[in-house]
């Protein structure tokens, strides 16, 4: 900016006496004008090139959101996931490094439905700031039919489609130069999710058993979509241990509804699940809630299909 201003000043100073001046000073003013115009052109050029040169940076909070976003963004945006593999999203707390990563992202993709309470304070503070280029924060649950107190919307591929469309719209807003690409890749991914939905429907429709007990309430959306029922839940709130009274209720439900299967979660050796299974002669299977993992674009579909295999075996016993 500074040299341009100086040129401006110089041109204005010279402009007055031009008519009386010898030819030499005219060529000086012409030269200065020329330099000024060149510098303007240069500036314009660099502004035009910026969006194509630099990929937008996108951060997602949890693993399924990474799969959704990466599947839409492909190589047109830099996508990273905030929570490391193995981190539990219900009880997560932000590190100072996390806060820096989030603040640097152009787009932040959240699940919503109260899952990321650990992010709310930071995003509120950010909303109040007057930064010239506002960060785009996506609530991917927007438009999803919410079941109260269950944030696990992604376990229903139908909800996943809604989440993907919200993510697509945010990417287009942040990076309009690649709008057509995002629209096309999102369209392809939605078709894959619809195929997944059909596969699940074909397997769950004829299942012998429809009711199950799970470790923490995560499968309400899935169960609702495919005619299954989460008859009881061991942990009333995530990571909590059941009270003796709640245990008595669970055992009552299992006996009266003749439930044969308990769904635990991968990597969670759970003493209460084991005891319950032994006492009531239940089979323990592991269903993934898809809250954490080594993320990739195809991760979501692979994990959902792995869950489907478990369901097929467990619920046909
Ligand atoms: Zn959960």
């Amino acid at each position: 900016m500074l040299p341009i201003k100086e040129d401006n000043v110089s041109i204005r100073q010279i402009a007055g006496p031009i008519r009386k001046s010898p030819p030499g000073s005219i060529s000086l003013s012409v030269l200065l004008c020329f330099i000024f115009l060149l510098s303007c052109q240069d500036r314009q050029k660099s502004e035009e090139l910026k969006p194509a040169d630099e990929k937008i940076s996108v951060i997602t909070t949890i693993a399924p959101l990474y799969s959704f976003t990466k599947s839409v963004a492909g190589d047109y945006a830099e996508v990273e996931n905030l929570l490391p593999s193995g981190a539990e999203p219900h009880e997560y707390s932000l590190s100072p490094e996390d806060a820096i990563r989030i603040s640097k992202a152009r787009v932040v993709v959240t699940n919503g439905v109260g899952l990321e309470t650990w992010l709310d304070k930071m995003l509120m503070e950010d909303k109040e700031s007057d930064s010239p280029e506002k960060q785009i924060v996506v609530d991917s649950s927007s438009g999803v039919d919410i079941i109260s107190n269950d944030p696990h919307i992604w376990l229903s591929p139908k909800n996943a489609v809604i989440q993907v469309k919200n993510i697509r719209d945010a990417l287009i807003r942040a990076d309009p130069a690649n709008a057509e690409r995002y629209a096309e890749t999102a369209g392809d991914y939605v078709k894959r999710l619809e195929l997944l939905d059909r596969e699940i429907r074909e397997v769950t429709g004829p299942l012998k058993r429809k009711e199950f007990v799970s470790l923490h309430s995560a499968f309400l959306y899935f169960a609702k979509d495919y005619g299954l029922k989460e008859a009881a839940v061991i942990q009333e709130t995530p990571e909590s241990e059941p009270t003796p009274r709640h245990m008595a209720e669970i055992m009552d439900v299992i006996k009266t509804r003749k439930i044969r299967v308990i769904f635990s979660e991968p990597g969670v050796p759970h003493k209460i699940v084991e005891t319950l299974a032994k006492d009531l002669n239940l089979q323990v299977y592991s269903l993934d809630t898809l809250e954490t993992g080594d993320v990739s674009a195809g991760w979501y579909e692979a994990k959902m299909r792995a869950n489907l295999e478990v369901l097929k075996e467990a619920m046909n016993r």
Side-chain angles (χ1 to χ4, degrees), residues 90 152 216 291:
H90 295 290
H152 307 82
H216 88 277
E291 287 171 26

Side-chain angles (χ1 to χ4, degrees), residues 7 63 65 86 97 109 113 133 164 187 192-193 198 223-224 245 247-248 259 264 270 272 286 290:
D7 286 349
L65 298 178
E97 291 78 21
V109 180
V113 207
E133 199 180 45
V164 167
R192 273 156 57 189
L193 293 176
R198 282 199 297 276
K224 189 184 163 205
R245 192 185 151 167
M247 277 305 287
I259 287 167
S264 192
H270 206 274
I272 291 168
S286 178
L290 273 71

Side-chain angles (χ1 to χ4, degrees), residues 88-90 115 151-152 154 216-218 238 289 291:
E88 208 279 314
H90 295 290
L115 181 74
H152 307 82
W154 61 87
H216 88 277
S217 187
T289 57
E291 287 171 26

Side-chain angles (χ1 to χ4, degrees), residues 39-54:
S39 72
C40 283
Q41 227 177 12
D42 262 8
R43 208 162 42 128
Q44 220 175 5
K45 234 186 230 171
S46 70
E47 274 165 10
E48 275 166 12
L49 281 176
K50 204 177 157 194
D53 284 352
E54 287 174 21

Side-chain angles (χ1 to χ4, degrees), residues 21 50 55 68 84-85 106 130 133 143 182 195 240 250 254 302:
S21 301
K50 204 177 157 194
K55 290 180 185 181
F68 300 162
S85 184
R106 176 79 176 90
D130 295 321
E133 199 180 45
Y182 295 136
L195 175 72
S240 71
I250 294 171
I254 291 171

Side-chain angles (χ1 to χ4, degrees), residues 35-260:
I35 291 169
F36 172 68
L37 288 173
L38 263 185
S39 72
C40 283
Q41 227 177 12
D42 262 8
R43 208 162 42 128
Q44 220 175 5
K45 234 186 230 171
S46 70
E47 274 165 10
E48 275 166 12
L49 281 176
K50 204 177 157 194
D53 284 352
E54 287 174 21
K55 290 180 185 181
I56 55 161
S57 61
V58 184
I59 194 159
T60 60
T61 53
I62 57 167
L65 298 178
Y66 178 91
S67 281
F68 300 162
T69 308
K70 184 68 184 166
S71 297
V72 177
D75 290 330
Y76 297 111
E78 295 290 346
V79 187
E80 60 170 324
N81 194 49
L82 181 71
L83 264 67
S85 184
E88 208 279 314
H90 295 290
E91 309 289 323
Y92 194 69
S93 57
L94 280 183
S95 70
E97 291 78 21
D98 290 338
I100 293 168
R101 286 168 72 200
I102 293 163
S103 68
K104 280 183 178 168
R106 176 79 176 90
V107 181
V108 182
V109 180
T110 71
N111 181 70
V113 207
L115 181 74
E116 299 103 337
T117 46
W118 34 267
L119 204 64
D120 292 350
K121 194 171 166 269
M122 187 187 163
L123 294 179
M124 281 302 282
E125 280 166 7
D126 209 57
K127 255 183 205 165
E128 285 157 15
S129 80
D130 295 321
S131 60
E133 199 180 45
K134 280 267 182 198
Q135 192 174 53
I136 295 174
V137 179
V138 192
D139 177 351
S140 68
S141 73
S142 177
V144 171
D145 200 2
I146 304 297
I147 300 170
S148 63
N149 295 327
D150 188 356
H152 307 82
I153 53 173
W154 61 87
L155 290 169
S156 146
K158 277 187 184 167
N159 291 342
V161 167
I162 296 172
Q163 293 184 281
V164 167
K165 288 179 178 172
N166 287 328
I167 293 165
R168 174 202 62 196
D169 293 347
L171 292 178
I172 289 175
R173 243 175 78 205
D175 185 14
N178 286 316
E180 273 179 38
R181 283 163 181 145
Y182 295 136
E184 198 186 325
T185 49
D188 291 344
Y189 189 57
V190 164
K191 275 184 201 144
R192 273 156 57 189
L193 293 176
E194 286 166 352
L195 175 72
L196 176 68
D197 171 61
R198 282 199 297 276
E199 278 176 43
I200 299 173
R201 208 164 290 285
E202 278 163 20
V203 170
T204 50
L207 284 178
K208 240 167 83 185
R209 300 178 182 279
K210 301 282 184 184
E211 294 186 61
F212 59 91
V213 172
S214 64
L215 182 61
H216 88 277
S217 187
F219 295 97
L220 290 178
Y221 297 94
F222 184 90
K224 189 184 163 205
D225 277 3
Y226 302 108
L228 305 175
K229 193 172 179 206
E230 196 176 68
V233 172
I234 295 169
Q235 295 173 331
E236 287 176 288
T237 55
E239 306 296 292
S240 71
E241 293 305 318
T243 59
R245 192 185 151 167
H246 182 58
M247 277 305 287
E249 283 168 7
I250 294 171
M251 290 171 88
D252 194 45
V253 168
I254 291 171
K255 281 179 199 160
T256 53
R257 307 215 187 173
K258 299 185 171 59
I259 287 167
R260 303 286 304 278

